[in-house]
Amino acid sequence: MAAAAECDVVMAAAAEPEPELPDDEEARREAESFKEQGNAYYAKKDYNEAYNYYTKAIDMCPKNASYYGNRAATLMMLGRFREALGDAQQSVRLDDSFVRGHLREGKCHLSLGNAMAACRCFQKALDLDHRNTQAQQEVVFCMDRALEFAPACHRFKILKAECLALLGRYPEAQSVASDILRMDSTNADALYVRGLCLYYEDCIEKAVQFFVQALRMAPDHEKACLACRNAKALKAKKEDGNKAFKDGNYKLAYELYTEALGIDPNNIKTNAKLYCNRGTVNAKLRKLDDAIEDCTNAVKLDDTYIKAYLRRAQCYMDTEQYEEAVRDYEKVYQTEKTKEHKQLLKNAQLELKKSKRKDYYKILGVDKNASEDEIKKAYRKRALMHHPDRHSGASAEVQKEEEKKFKEVGEAFTILSDPKKKTRYDSGQDLDEEGMNMGDFDANNIFKAFFGGPGGFSFEASGPGNFFFQFG
């Protein structure tokens, strides 16, 4: 049966040999052209023509590993597995780091009935790039095929279980490892896989127990040794960071969480929690943009992590990014429909609504908790600053802008100096209801009333661009 194969897009090698002669450079360009034509025929499933062009590319540049890899893939699609095996082996002889070459060699061995050789090739591919999802999926597929012929082979099962764990399919991996342990409770590889699943599920303490058991059975088990070391280091750094945070030593907590994040970038769940913890530290340090970035990294790693969404949403609220806060709270409420989450969403929606109106506090330059006297002083200062008479000698454009600001200042004072209107404004209610139409007031009348009526105030020029204020 023809095995699925994928063609490579070959990148120019980054080696630094002696400068190629013009003829060599011309040959390389011609070989690349043949390869591209081969890729085009491969994509059209015209494997015979693809084979011909890859052969021409190899004839021009016989030391290019990827050309042999491409021809091996084509031969596999044609069912010529023994010839494909030769090309795949040649590709990894030329470049031992060529992951697809090892995968293709493994599939050829498997198709030719040599399961143990296939297993060695797949293991080599995983050792080169153990986070290569495509490689992991191919190994699972191929091990399933191998197990059809050798259902009791522990080695095949272990390789499959390890790939399942690396793919995040932990229940399946646990099941395969547990089946082996029921037959052989001392199997170090199975113990390692059980520990690996727990480690990636952030059950680090339990994971360490399995890694230690594996090392008792096989003291030289390199993978278990590395995983055990990483797990212990992660656990220690995280606990130290948590202690520093509880003690209020936020700078130290930040450093410890950062160090923990550098231990194993492949541990998704633990790192998501570490990012969220560091985000909490940044929030305490009032580094809100950094806190948002950390929480964003947390949800990129684990998009079900409610705590990170809640932390980020609060940071968005604190930085008045209400649309983003609403989006996060909606995500949280859709996942966990609690009264608390519903109230948080309502609060964010209210602040978003309020943010789309004029900010009267900002117009007067006062805090939202400003007293009555502070509001009056602020109005006095801003009204005098923007009064049209003060800018009578300015350009028409400036006069228009200052008149607009003068009106806004009067509007802000009208609302914030009236307890009833201020309460409605602060609660997000519409001010146009109950006769509070903001288009009906006159900023000049407010100004006159504040400064004591007609004749109570005037601007007089004392020189070009200078004014003093006269009160009656």
Side-chain angles (χ1 to χ4, degrees), residues 239-260:
E239 289 177 351
D240 289 346
N242 292 348
K243 183 178 184 304
F245 181 83
K246 288 177 182 176
D247 292 343
N249 191 342
Y250 301 129
K251 183 178 179 183
L252 177 59
Y254 177 90
E255 291 172 356
L256 288 166
Y257 288 141
T258 301
E259 289 173 12

Side-chain angles (χ1 to χ4, degrees), residues 145-183:
R145 287 183 59 198
L147 286 165
E148 291 174 5
F149 300 99
C153 180
H154 285 181
R155 187 170 181 182
F156 295 163
K157 288 182 179 180
I158 286 296
L159 193 52
K160 174 185 175 180
E162 184 178 355
C163 287
L164 287 170
L166 294 171
L167 286 167
R169 293 160 62 179
Y170 306 122
E172 295 172 75
Q174 289 270 30
S175 177
V176 173
S178 296
D179 286 345
I180 294 171
L181 290 170
R182 276 193 287 272
M183 301 292 293

Side-chain angles (χ1 to χ4, degrees), residues 191-200 203-216 218-219 221-237 263-264 267:
L191 290 166
Y192 160 71
V193 170
R194 285 289 307 274
L196 193 65
C197 292
L198 291 165
Y199 174 66
Y200 284 135
C203 300
I204 294 181
E205 195 165 342
K206 289 183 179 179
V208 169
Q209 295 172 8
F210 277 97
F211 294 144
V212 169
Q213 280 186 267
L215 289 168
R216 285 201 193 105
H221 198 295
E222 292 182 7
K223 290 181 179 180
C225 185
L226 176 62
C228 190
R229 185 164 63 245
N230 284 345
K232 287 180 177 179
L234 262 180
K235 182 173 180 290
K237 287 291 182 185
I263 291 172
D264 184 2
N267 192 321

Side-chain angles (χ1 to χ4, degrees), residues 6-31:
E6 183 180 344
C7 231
D8 298 302
V9 176
V10 180
M11 301 298 290
E16 296 182 352
E18 295 180 5
E20 292 182 331
L21 297 173
D23 287 347
D24 292 335
E25 179 62 25
E26 184 178 345
R28 190 191 67 79
R29 284 198 298 268
E30 192 171 353

